[in-house]
């Protein structure tokens, strides 16, 4: 059974992670993304894009440099499974990762390593564009 303290810790980590991305806080992103992190993004046309830690952080930097930040900070956590050194978080976000505001459904794997939680894998499912987005 999940430890309630660990689940609360993961919820706080998720707040920190989202805010690091919303404002492209490079040092924080470097810290929360594991050195071997992989991101798998499935878009509405069934195309899968794979990125590593450097490429994913560079995507945030490009958005920042283009004046597209801050991103939408909305999130909804649906489920957390955690033990003392690993976790799975299933959640939703509203964000502009592909040129327009979309609903994202995500599953991320976390590991507790080097005294902190780190993202090892993100699987992102992009929904069609939200009504009223450009």
């Amino acid at each position: 059974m999940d430890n309630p303290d660990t689940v609360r810790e993961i919820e706080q980590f998720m707040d920190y992670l989202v805010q690091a991305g919303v404002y492209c806080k490079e040092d924080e992103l470097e810290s929360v993304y594991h050195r071997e992190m992989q991101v798998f993004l499935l878009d509405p046309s069934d195309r899968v894009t794979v990125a590593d830690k450097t490429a994913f952080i560079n995507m945030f930097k490009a958005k920042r440099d283009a004046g597209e930040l801050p991103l939408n900070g909305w999130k909804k956590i649906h489920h957390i499974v955690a033990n003392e050194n690993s976790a799975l978080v299933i959640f939703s976000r509203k964000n502009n990762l592909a040129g327009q505001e979309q609903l994202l459904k995500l599953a991320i794997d976390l590991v507790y390593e080097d005294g902190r939680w780190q993202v090892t894998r993100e699987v992102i499912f992009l929904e069609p564009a939200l009504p009223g987005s450009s």
Side-chain angles (χ1 to χ4, degrees):
M1 182 163 195
D2 292 331
N3 178 329
D5 292 334
T6 302
V7 170
R8 278 192 294 281
E9 188 176 322
I10 296 296
E11 289 169 341
Q12 291 170 345
F13 172 84
M14 293 304 298
D15 290 340
Y16 184 83
L17 172 64
V18 167
Q19 291 305 305
V22 163
Y23 294 99
C24 188
K25 298 177 180 175
E26 288 180 60
D27 291 344
E28 293 175 14
L29 291 172
E30 284 288 338
S31 176
V32 297
Y33 289 148
H34 191 272
R35 66 189 167 283
E36 296 177 13
M37 182 187 87
Q38 289 190 297
V39 177
F40 301 87
L41 188 136
L42 176 65
D43 70 22
S45 65
D46 291 334
R47 187 180 70 215
V48 175
T49 304
V50 181
D52 64 7
K53 175 180 179 172
T54 300
F56 203 57
I57 291 174
N58 285 341
M59 179 205 62
F60 286 105
K61 289 197 250 183
K63 290 190 165 299
R64 178 198 61 209
D65 295 347
E68 297 178 25
L69 296 182
L71 297 173
N72 190 329
W74 182 87
K75 77 166 178 352
K76 179 180 180 183
I77 295 176
H78 302 289
H79 191 71
I80 297 173
V81 178
N83 61 38
E84 57 279 343
N85 60 10
S86 66
L88 168 67
V89 182
I90 299 172
F91 66 111
S92 297
R93 301 258 300 113
K94 292 177 185 173
N95 219 317
N96 177 354
L97 288 183
Q100 55 190 331
E101 191 87 353
Q102 292 176 278
L103 181 65
L104 290 69
K105 306 260 176 105
L106 302 96
I108 66 169
D109 291 315
L110 306 174
V111 63
Y112 193 83
E113 187 176 288
D114 297 329
R116 66 188 189 281
W117 287 103
Q118 298 176 62
V119 177
T120 58
R121 180 182 304 117
E122 287 194 22
V123 180
I124 305 170
F125 300 91
L126 292 177
E127 300 286 323
L130 294 172
S133 66
S134 52

